[in-house]
Amino acid sequence: MTTNLIDKDTLKLLRIPFSIFLMPVFLFALSQAESINWQNTLLSFIILHLFIYPASNGYNSFMDQDEGSIGGLKHPPKPTKKLFYISILLDFIGLSLSFFISIPFSICLLMYILASRAYSYKGIRLKKYPYLGFITVIFSQGAFTFLIAYHAITLLSYQEIINRQLLALIACSLLLAGVYPLTQIYQHEEDYKNGDITISYKLGYRGTFAFCCFAFLTSIICFYYYFREVDLLNNFIILQLCFIPAVVYFFHWFYKVWRDSSAADFEHTMKMNLIASVCLNNCFILLLLINQQVIKFQ
């Protein structure tokens, strides 16, 4: 039964390796935690990256029935009902495990799942509303994910986290605002055909890059004030240094798209995502090691 449920194509559409692109927010929360409950940290990491995110990917693929490239897959297989069932199963497992962390964590995780479903579900389909869909994604995958991850890692109440980490929450969502439209830029025709008017489609090719550039700059300003507030400006310097490869590639790609919009394709998008996520993941792991005094930085 299990073998029949999880076939090769279904597993592929869960896009588990795609979780690396969603990892930076969790690692940022971990890097900024003063005290860490390592058991909860490991469990929450597994819940999000091996169950909830793949379930969301699978459900989105089932609802979209994409014929063209999607994030992480240039030639996706045709989704079947199996994908729907496995996405529900993964959500159930993730939610069941979440009760070992805390009930507030489970409640917020359920809210995240419901927001993800509302984004894709045909009856609601937030994805077809450019501004509402955009706000839903940058909040749920940015500030809200930081909030629930930080709670799991530290077991501080949500109100305490908001009071202490408000600038970090805002910075996460602004960072997502600078990344998310770029993930849509190669799907304009496919999305429009499905009736989905995304923020990237509304902005156009050049407008998407200009908007993302502005969002990146505002996130950098927010990160600066956050690190200054917690007296860790060295961390801000490290963040800027680590992000140099992503910035260089961003402007290189922007130049190519400015000259020829056909450069706004799947290959460039995935390369941009990979470079940005690797830069940020490495940066926040480094900050974690520094803030936990595993290594010294003067």
Side-chain angles (χ1 to χ4, degrees):
M1 177 69 178
T2 305
T3 305
N4 292 333
L5 182 61
I6 310 177
D7 57 37
K8 184 174 67 173
D9 286 347
T10 299
L11 188 61
K12 187 180 293 185
L13 285 168
L14 293 175
R15 291 176 283 163
I16 294 174
F18 195 75
S19 291
I20 191 175
F21 300 144
L22 302 173
M23 207 177 289
V25 172
F26 185 96
L27 292 178
F28 177 50
L30 179 59
S31 74
Q32 300 308 298
E34 294 180 9
S35 61
I36 299 173
N37 182 314
W38 286 105
Q39 179 177 320
N40 282 357
T41 297
L42 179 59
L43 181 57
S44 60
F45 182 88
I46 290 171
I47 289 170
L48 287 169
H49 296 86
L50 295 184
F51 294 102
I52 303 304
Y53 292 158
S56 180
N57 293 337
Y59 187 87
N60 184 65
S61 290
F62 177 75
M63 285 294 160
D64 287 359
Q65 294 290 316
D66 288 307
E67 297 177 0
S69 301
I70 58 176
L73 292 175
K74 186 171 184 179
H75 302 292
K78 187 70 174 175
T80 66
K81 201 72 174 180
K82 292 180 182 180
L83 185 60
F84 172 79
Y85 292 134
I86 195 66
S87 68
I88 300 301
L89 177 61
L90 290 177
D91 276 337
F92 177 78
I93 295 172
L95 274 173
S96 299
L97 290 174
S98 71
F99 284 99
F100 289 100
I101 295 176
S102 75
I103 291 177
F105 180 79
S106 300
I107 293 171
C108 285
L109 194 66
L110 177 60
M111 291 170 62
Y112 179 95
I113 292 170
L114 292 176
S116 174
R117 295 300 180 266
Y119 182 78
S120 303
Y121 174 60
K122 295 291 186 181
I124 302 174
R125 197 67 173 176
L126 296 180
K127 187 176 182 178
K128 68 181 180 182
Y129 304 108
Y131 307 114
L132 184 57
F134 172 71
I135 291 170
T136 300
V137 169
I138 68 168
F139 174 73
S140 61
Q141 293 187 359
F144 195 67
T145 295
F146 181 96
L147 184 68
I148 63 176
Y150 201 90
H151 166 74
I153 292 163
T154 64
L155 286 182
L156 289 173
S157 71
Y158 290 126
Q159 189 58 56
E160 285 180 284
I161 297 168
I162 292 170
N163 292 340
R164 295 185 186 188
Q165 304 285 350
L166 181 59
L167 283 173
L169 295 168
I170 296 171
C172 285
S173 281
L174 287 173
L175 189 61
L176 260 292
V179 172
Y180 179 63
L182 289 175
T183 67
Q184 302 173 318
I185 200 168
Y186 69 94
Q187 290 182 305
H188 286 183
E189 292 182 9
E190 180 82 12
D191 286 333
Y192 186 75
K193 185 178 70 175
N194 294 332
D196 299 326
I197 309 300
T198 62
I199 189 71
S200 180
Y201 182 87
K202 293 286 287 187
L203 291 166
Y205 294 113
R206 294 179 178 180
T208 295
F209 278 91
F211 176 83
C212 290
C213 188
F214 172 76
F216 279 131
L217 287 174
T218 53
S219 72
I220 288 170
I221 293 169
C222 199
F223 274 116
Y224 170 78
Y225 281 107
Y226 165 72
F227 284 122
R228 191 178 75 168
E229 184 180 80
V230 296
D231 197 26
L232 290 171
L233 277 178
N234 282 347
N235 286 6
F236 177 74
I237 295 170
I238 292 171
L239 176 63
Q240 303 314 300
L241 292 174
C242 288
F243 214 57
I244 287 174
V247 172
V248 170
Y249 186 79
F250 173 85
F251 283 107
H252 167 69
W253 185 23
F254 190 2
Y255 174 72
K256 292 178 72 172
V257 173
W258 189 275
R259 296 184 63 190
D260 182 3
S261 63
S262 67
D265 55 18
F266 174 82
E267 286 77 11
H268 285 91
T269 301
M270 289 302 103
K271 192 170 183 179
M272 179 77 251
N273 282 351
L274 182 61
I275 293 172
S277 59
V278 168
C279 286
L280 287 171
N281 287 339
N282 288 340
C283 173
F284 295 139
I285 290 172
L286 178 58
L287 294 187
L288 170 66
L289 295 175
I290 291 172
N291 295 339
Q292 293 298 313
Q293 298 184 336
V294 176
I295 61 176
K296 302 291 184 181
F297 178 80
Q298 300 296 333

